[in-house]
Amino acid sequence: MRALVIDDSRAMRRIVASILEGFGYETRPAGHGREALDVLEEGWVPDLACIDWNMPVMDGLQFVSAVRAVPAWRQVTLMMVTTESEHGQIVKALAAGAHEYVIKPFTADAIGDKLSLLGLMPVPA
Amino acid sequence: MSAPITALLDGETVTAVAGEVWSALVGEGELLLPGLGPVAPAVDGPSAWVTVTGPWDGVVVLTCGASGTADLTRSVLQLDDDEQPTAEDVDDVLRELANILGGNVKSLLPGPSALGLPETGPAPLRAEDEDTCRVSASWRGHDLAITIQGASEAPAHHTTEVPK
């Protein structure tokens, strides 16, 4: 399974990628929404995108809306991973097309639980 | 104008929030020990901060003692003990810690608020004491300070978030 990790913090990209790779994912990083769209447009369409909210250039909500506007990317599961924890923000992200929402700080177990709920936990070979 | 931060938050709550952030980001079992005494000592080192804009306007600032920045960065990025992090790595780690601290502090404040993008550099000027909540802490013997301080005017807000 493949995951795109979108966060303007290199530290956070590394932490999320390390958790996902531990679960068996192949990951690619992107520093903001526009960079992530470039990855999709070049044909690397992941099963999962983990998306920060507040980023320069293109934020997470704009990225979610952009992905949902393209039918060919409909199978990508979108999971917000963000410090935005207000109910209104969560509702806004889900309304825009995000499937799940993880609030920072999180643990590897919390990510694993969300992946299991989404049916996206890779089966060990 | 909103109530001052001291009416909205206390040091104990901020310390508890910071402890959770530390455990999740710096490493399981990494303890952030509360500083002793009622007055936080000055911490000489780089700062990272994030603005909060809403009913309460201000900044959440994390300042790390100069001696601790490399250790902190190694721990967050899971680098080897002999690996020297770059200045860019140090800034990135401090910014992300400030970002998560800021987000969690924001969730404790009244009303919807917006979080800016985190920045690093010399700490922003301190606000009036009555609109400042400052706690000191120690991690692996390195001093840290978390300052939540009001702005007299709405702070510069660098974000790409679409206004409500």
Side-chain angles (χ1 to χ4, degrees):
Chain A
M1 285 188 151
R2 304 202 289 194
L4 187 54
V5 180
I6 312 161
D7 199 303
D8 55 331
S9 162
R10 198 164 80 86
M12 190 49 66
R13 290 198 301 270
R14 191 183 285 206
I15 289 167
V16 174
S18 164
I19 290 170
L20 293 173
E21 285 163 12
F23 291 138
Y25 273 85
E26 176 193 353
T27 67
R28 272 186 73 169
H32 51 72
R34 182 60 254 173
E35 200 177 307
L37 286 179
D38 290 344
V39 173
L40 291 171
E41 283 163 3
E42 78 180 42
W44 200 87
V45 180
D47 303 281
L48 171 73
C50 292
I51 312 148
D52 185 23
W53 189 303
N54 290 313
M55 294 181 286
V57 185
M58 176 186 275
D59 71 24
L61 191 63
Q62 291 168 328
F63 173 77
V64 167
S65 299
V67 170
R68 281 294 159 255
V70 178
W73 298 338
R74 198 164 289 159
Q75 79 273 20
V76 181
T77 297
L78 303 174
M79 184 159 77
M80 301 298 292
V81 181
T82 171
T83 58
E84 290 289 353
S85 58
E86 284 170 12
H87 180 69
Q89 301 289 76
I90 296 172
V91 169
K92 201 191 278 188
L94 296 176
H99 296 88
E100 261 300 351
Y101 206 97
V102 176
I103 295 168
K104 297 175 184 175
F106 52 79
T107 61
D109 286 346
I111 299 277
D113 289 347
K114 297 286 187 186
L115 295 178
S116 296
L117 279 173
L118 292 164
L120 284 173
M121 188 60 93
V123 179
Chain B
M1 187 177 160
S2 163
I5 195 67
T6 46
L8 303 170
L9 278 179
D10 59 31
E12 221 168 283
T13 305
V14 175
T15 302
V17 165
E20 277 180 39
V21 172
W22 229 251
S23 168
L25 204 64
V26 181
E28 207 174 329
E30 292 291 350
L31 293 179
L32 191 63
L33 302 173
L36 298 173
V39 179
V43 173
D44 179 21
S47 293
W49 66 91
V50 64
T51 59
V52 177
T53 313
W56 180 85
D57 287 331
V59 283
V60 178
V61 186
L62 169 69
T63 304
C64 180
S67 67
T69 54
D71 259 1
L72 186 59
T73 305
R74 270 193 290 268
S75 192
V76 172
L77 297 181
Q78 298 173 7
L79 304 178
D80 291 335
D81 287 347
D82 57 355
E83 203 170 337
Q84 192 58 34
T86 64
E88 196 183 333
D89 284 339
V90 170
D91 280 355
D92 183 60
V93 163
L94 289 176
R95 274 196 300 267
E96 190 56 18
L97 283 166
N99 181 41
I100 299 178
L101 281 169
N104 281 265
V105 166
K106 176 171 91 78
S107 72
L108 300 171
L109 300 177
S113 303
L115 205 62
L117 293 173
E119 299 180 51
T120 46
L125 292 175
R126 294 272 296 277
E128 298 292 328
D129 276 352
E130 68 173 21
D131 202 12
T132 297
C133 175
R134 189 164 197 266
V135 299
S136 58
S138 168
W139 170 71
R140 293 188 187 175
H142 303 299
D143 291 331
L144 296 140
I146 298 158
T147 311
I148 302 162
Q149 57 189 55
S152 51
E153 296 174 7
H157 186 202
H158 303 115
T159 182
T160 56
E161 193 176 326
V162 178
K164 294 184 182 74

